[in-house]
Amino acid sequence: MAADTRPGRVVGVVLAAGAGTRMGRPKALVRRPDGRPWVDLAVAALLDGGCDAVVVVLGAASREARALVPERPAVRTVVAADWERGPSASLLTGLVAAAEDPDVTAVLVTLVDLPGLPAGAVRRVLDDRGRVAADRASLRRAVHGGRPGHPVLIGRDHWDALRESLGSAAGEDRGAGHWLRSAGTRPVECSDLWDGADQDRAGVGVT
């Protein structure tokens, strides 16, 4: 049987569960100097860039963080019960939530500590040479000068293999990076849109 390559619904997944040890507080609670929460920025970038819905994965300080998630019909929150295990647990939780809808053909994953993520980068990763093509076989990620970054588009055909890899993670949890490299993820250069830098530490530009 031929693979189903029809474009379908794409769910954006924001990983926002960590304790933010280097930041000094959970990153899901961080705001820009103008008061806008990082989690709100991430949700807006994903929806404005073409995602049909967004799942925000919370963990540390989930009660306080949930209050910062924008109340929009297309947005929901889930809590990674074992968030302390690392990013693999958060991503697994996001995949489970997305899989509840059989019409979802792909997830587009980003991190909450990328407040500079523009909707244009989301659109570019979703776009396949001039057309939106987020089908079940999609596997693309943003790169910046060749450096792997976010967002990452993962079609549904890859979810079982990814879940198996994440579930067997041992030692220091690096999330999906190793699996993405071995799976042959196609790079999408986005350095002309932004620098792709995450913000791990408190400092200029955060409150």
Side-chain angles (χ1 to χ4, degrees), residues 150-194:
H150 289 81
V152 182
L153 180 67
I154 307 169
R156 197 172 190 128
D157 286 350
H158 302 284
W159 292 1
D160 286 345
L162 175 56
R163 282 192 290 246
E164 182 177 355
S165 174
L166 295 174
S168 63
E172 187 175 2
D173 186 355
R174 294 292 186 179
H178 176 74
W179 181 86
L180 289 169
R181 289 189 294 274
S182 64
T185 307
R186 183 160 70 82
V188 180
E189 186 60 57
C190 293
S191 58
D192 59 315
L193 299 176
W194 73 307

Side-chain angles (χ1 to χ4, degrees), residues 107-177:
V107 292
L108 190 79
V109 182
T110 191
L111 309 176
V112 74
D113 64 353
L114 300 172
L117 173 67
V122 172
R123 282 192 293 270
R124 185 173 293 179
V125 174
L126 286 177
D127 183 81
D128 185 21
R129 299 179 177 89
R131 65 186 181 89
V132 174
D135 57 47
R136 296 177 63 102
S138 298
L139 194 59
R140 302 192 288 274
R141 79 178 304 173
V143 299
H144 304 87
R147 175 175 54 84
H150 289 81
V152 182
L153 180 67
I154 307 169
R156 197 172 190 128
D157 286 350
H158 302 284
W159 292 1
D160 286 345
L162 175 56
R163 282 192 290 246
E164 182 177 355
S165 174
L166 295 174
S168 63
E172 187 175 2
D173 186 355
R174 294 292 186 179

Side-chain angles (χ1 to χ4, degrees), residues 4-113:
D4 182 358
T5 58
R6 294 172 299 174
R9 284 172 51 79
V10 179
V11 170
V13 176
V14 180
L15 302 183
T21 303
R22 285 175 290 185
M23 178 65 68
R25 56 184 151 158
K27 294 178 184 176
L29 302 181
V30 180
R31 301 172 182 262
R32 286 193 318 199
D34 65 3
R36 189 173 181 186
W38 279 5
V39 68
D40 185 20
L41 294 169
V43 168
L46 291 175
L47 291 177
D48 292 347
C51 291
D52 298 287
V54 173
V55 171
V56 180
V57 183
L58 302 176
S62 60
R63 183 176 300 178
E64 297 91 334
R66 187 178 284 112
L68 302 182
V69 177
E71 294 185 6
R72 302 174 64 169
V75 180
R76 61 180 289 207
T77 60
V78 294
V79 176
D82 53 348
W83 63 267
E84 292 175 306
R85 189 165 66 84
S88 291
S90 299
L91 181 51
L92 279 169
T93 299
L95 287 174
V96 169
E100 294 173 3
D101 183 347
D103 293 328
V104 173
T105 55
V107 292
L108 190 79
V109 182
T110 191
L111 309 176
V112 74
D113 64 353

